[in-house]
Amino acid sequence: MSAVSHSVGPSAAMGPAGAFSAMHALRAEQVRAFWQSVERLEPGGRIACAPKCDVKRGVILSGWACEMQILPDGRRQIFTFLLPGDPFVVEAPKPDRPSRGVIAITPLQIIDAANPAIEAIRSRESLARAIELAIQQKEARLLDHMVRIGRLSAPERVLHLLLELRDRLEAIGLAKGDTFRLPLTQEVFADALGLSLVHINRTFKQVRRDGYIELKCKTVTLLNRERLRALAFYSPPLTSDAA
Amino acid sequence: MSAVSHSVGPSAAMGPAGAFSAMHALRAEQVRAFWQSVERLEPGGRIACAPKCDVKRGVILSGWACEMQILPDGRRQIFTFLLPGDPFVVEAPKPDRPSRGVIAITPLQIIDAANPAIEAIRSRESLARAIELAIQQKEARLLDHMVRIGRLSAPERVLHLLLELRDRLEAIGLAKGDTFRLPLTQEVFADALGLSLVHINRTFKQVRRDGYIELKCKTVTLLNRERLRALAFYSPPLTSDAA
DNA sequence: CGAGACTTTGACCGTAGTCAATTTATGTGG
DNA sequence: CCACATAAATTGACTACGGTCAAAGTCTCG
């Protein structure tokens, strides 16, 4: 159920960041082959690459995932959230390397970029451009996340992240106005923002009390987004004017 | 003086990360043209791209620089340090965008990648590979930095960063064993590690007192690197085995 | 209903921030 | 080479943000 509510619908994928915006032009047979090769993961599941390969590329079709690293110690840092349409790369875990990986947060559907079903559309220049843009935006988000973690206070971090997620979800049709579904536990939030679970809880309480957001049933509403943007020093992402 | 001590020497640039490792095979005339087109910056200077262009690519020849962002508020976050041999990209500042940029920490020598003097060697596959590797390593360092800021304590952050800098400096011949020159003010350290100036000062005092490092006259010595690596959860970078 | 995951709260502690002053380089002109 | 100006490092006193520990309350789901 919850997987469905996080999927890109047939038209939702047409957003600027949707890597599959060219899909409507495919023949039915290709579409069938495509859906047959979709891989599914349960929450907590880790995207692994095939035994022989040392790298796997793919795209999120539905659901939320995150890229993260776990210290030998148990501490965890989440680098990015992956939403439908986002491309990803995972490398085979090597001994003596930091254990980084992509794990599913909700039920997840992904497709391997090496899949023959995707080869057919890989060459379309519209897809190539979409992927190019996605990579560029991801780079920018990494730096945003660094500022968040390094220089913002706890309430600023939370609001800044919510603003980013809203923009990204709206771009793929999963947010209506200032309201969207947020399928994250507070623990995940904590690991993304470099805070403790308990402190995240208190910070949410605070930003709710202060009238910045509403939050019920995993659904968030940002109250007065303009004010929040100024407050958390958030700038929306570029849309597509890049060279 | 201090610029010289941070330069890559003719042989120092031969390290794995040195983008100019193929330079020894150039003709004298090309080398002359090359050095004539080197740009210089004083500490605090910002690398700007030409008035018309919206992007500038280049490589650090000597000195230290950093990529950073300043919040409207004055708070600053440093993303990466750039050392001799490191490629960089700066974009023209756009209104309403976060003000990110590259600024010189020490006197700096850089060369524009669009320079004709560099065109001659651009096509060499050894250079292309070096740049490829440099970009890959940089990506990895960004994530390392995120873990540092998000999940490590102040002493861990300091030691982790020093370990990284040592490895990178050694790769370009600017560190002998566990000792190297560190031309950073504590304020820069603070802005890189997401801490306050005062706290950085106290943390340095502590790691010195605890026998983890020696620090005199801007020169650091790491005492027992193995122990520090375990303590700060540091993994050295990949050298060159990537596909 | 019971088990387990997630959220919420309280009490307390410790790391790190702020403010302000002092000391120590570093540098510059005379 | 010295006097002064400025940047950088250092220290103290105090505050506060965020972490830890522990318990209780909610929510799901079999």
Side-chain angles (χ1 to χ4, degrees):
Chain A
M1 240 337 140
S2 88
V4 172
S5 66
H6 300 129
S7 314
V8 277
S11 66
M14 303 297 291
F20 288 93
S21 51
M23 213 160 67
H24 63 290
L26 294 179
R27 280 178 289 124
E29 164 198 324
Q30 288 176 310
V31 173
R32 197 177 326 111
F34 176 86
W35 281 106
Q36 276 174 358
S37 60
V38 168
E39 298 170 45
R40 281 148 226 276
L41 282 167
E42 284 311 299
R46 185 177 190 128
I47 299 183
C49 44
K52 309 118 195 284
C53 306
D54 61 343
V55 62
K56 169 171 189 161
R57 291 161 213 280
V59 176
I60 310 290
L61 291 182
S62 78
W64 289 48
C66 66
E67 302 182 276
M68 50 110 219
Q69 171 173 344
I70 298 180
L71 296 180
D73 178 58
R75 282 176 275 185
R76 182 172 73 154
Q77 177 65 53
I78 290 175
F79 302 125
T80 62
F81 291 109
L82 299 177
L83 304 181
D86 286 336
F88 64 84
V89 180
V90 302
E91 299 188 17
K94 299 193 186 74
D96 230 45
R97 291 279 94 208
S99 96
R100 292 178 184 153
V102 175
I103 69 167
I105 292 175
T106 68
L108 201 64
Q109 291 185 312
I110 61 176
I111 185 152
D112 193 313
N115 193 294
I118 214 177
E119 284 296 323
I121 49 177
R122 181 192 268 295
S123 60
R124 288 169 181 271
E125 85 337 311
S126 69
L127 177 65
R129 218 178 325 112
I131 287 181
E132 184 65 30
L133 179 61
I135 288 174
Q136 205 170 317
Q137 288 176 329
K138 176 168 177 175
E139 179 103 15
R141 282 199 303 268
L142 269 188
L143 299 187
D144 272 356
H145 199 46
M146 203 112 110
V147 171
R148 236 170 354 227
I149 291 176
R151 282 306 183 205
L152 300 189
S153 69
E156 287 167 344
R157 289 185 212 192
V158 167
L159 296 176
H160 194 282
L161 179 53
L162 291 178
L163 286 163
E164 176 192 307
L165 290 174
R166 192 216 73 94
D167 282 346
R168 295 173 61 192
L169 288 169
E170 172 167 79
I172 56 175
L174 293 182
K176 331 146 212 70
D178 295 328
T179 302
F180 56 96
R181 192 120 205 300
L182 187 72
L184 306 178
T185 66
Q186 296 186 353
E187 187 179 12
V188 168
F189 245 82
D191 286 338
L193 296 178
L195 296 167
S196 72
L197 168 63
V198 173
H199 198 63
I200 279 288
N201 184 280
R202 295 191 163 116
T203 305
F204 266 115
K205 182 177 165 187
Q206 185 191 330
V207 294
R208 256 179 310 184
R209 180 176 48 68
D210 293 350
Y212 294 132
I213 71 169
E214 252 171 34
L215 175 55
K216 42 179 110 136
C217 250
K218 298 268 180 200
T219 296
V220 194
T221 301
L222 306 181
L223 305 172
N224 194 345
R225 206 161 72 239
E226 271 312 307
R227 184 179 47 144
L228 298 188
R229 285 189 37 176
L231 211 137
F233 304 102
Y234 175 78
S235 304
L238 300 83
T239 34
S240 61
D241 56 70
Chain B
M1 237 348 151
S2 88
V4 172
S5 66
H6 301 129
S7 316
V8 276
S11 66
M14 302 296 291
F20 289 93
S21 51
M23 214 161 66
H24 63 290
L26 295 179
R27 280 179 289 122
E29 164 199 323
Q30 288 176 311
V31 173
R32 198 178 326 112
F34 176 87
W35 282 105
Q36 275 174 359
S37 59
V38 168
E39 298 169 46
R40 280 147 228 275
L41 282 167
E42 284 309 300
R46 186 177 188 130
I47 299 183
C49 43
K52 309 119 195 284
C53 305
D54 61 341
V55 61
K56 169 171 188 161
R57 290 160 212 280
V59 176
I60 309 289
L61 291 182
S62 76
W64 289 50
C66 65
E67 301 182 277
M68 49 113 219
Q69 172 173 342
I70 298 179
L71 296 179
D73 174 63
R75 281 177 275 183
R76 182 174 73 154
Q77 177 65 52
I78 290 175
F79 302 125
T80 62
F81 290 108
L82 298 177
L83 304 181
D86 286 337
F88 62 84
V89 180
V90 301
E91 300 188 15
K94 299 193 185 74
D96 231 47
R97 290 281 90 210
S99 97
R100 292 177 184 154
V102 175
I103 69 166
I105 292 175
T106 67
L108 201 65
Q109 292 185 313
I110 62 177
I111 187 153
D112 193 313
N115 192 296
I118 215 178
E119 284 296 323
I121 49 176
R122 180 191 268 296
S123 60
R124 288 167 179 270
E125 92 324 319
S126 67
L127 177 66
R129 217 176 327 111
I131 287 180
E132 184 65 30
L133 179 61
I135 288 174
Q136 205 170 317
Q137 288 177 329
K138 176 168 178 175
E139 179 102 16
R141 282 199 304 267
L142 268 187
L143 299 186
D144 272 355
H145 199 46
M146 202 111 111
V147 172
R148 238 177 343 234
I149 291 175
R151 283 304 183 206
L152 300 190
S153 69
E156 287 167 345
R157 290 184 210 190
V158 167
L159 295 176
H160 193 282
L161 178 53
L162 290 178
L163 285 162
E164 175 192 308
L165 290 174
R166 193 216 72 94
D167 281 347
R168 294 174 61 193
L169 288 168
E170 172 167 80
I172 56 175
L174 293 181
K176 329 148 214 69
D178 296 327
T179 302
F180 56 96
R181 191 120 205 299
L182 188 71
L184 306 178
T185 66
Q186 296 186 352
E187 187 179 11
V188 168
F189 244 82
D191 286 338
L193 295 180
L195 296 167
S196 72
L197 169 65
V198 173
H199 198 63
I200 279 288
N201 183 282
R202 296 193 161 115
T203 305
F204 266 115
K205 183 177 165 186
Q206 186 191 330
V207 294
R208 256 180 310 184
R209 182 177 46 68
D210 293 348
Y212 294 133
I213 71 169
E214 252 171 36
L215 175 55
K216 42 177 109 137
C217 249
K218 298 270 181 197
T219 297
V220 195
T221 302
L222 306 180
L223 304 173
N224 194 347
R225 207 160 72 238
E226 272 313 307
R227 185 180 46 145
L228 299 189
R229 286 189 36 175
L231 212 138
F233 303 103
Y234 175 80
S235 303
L238 301 84
T239 35
S240 62
D241 55 69

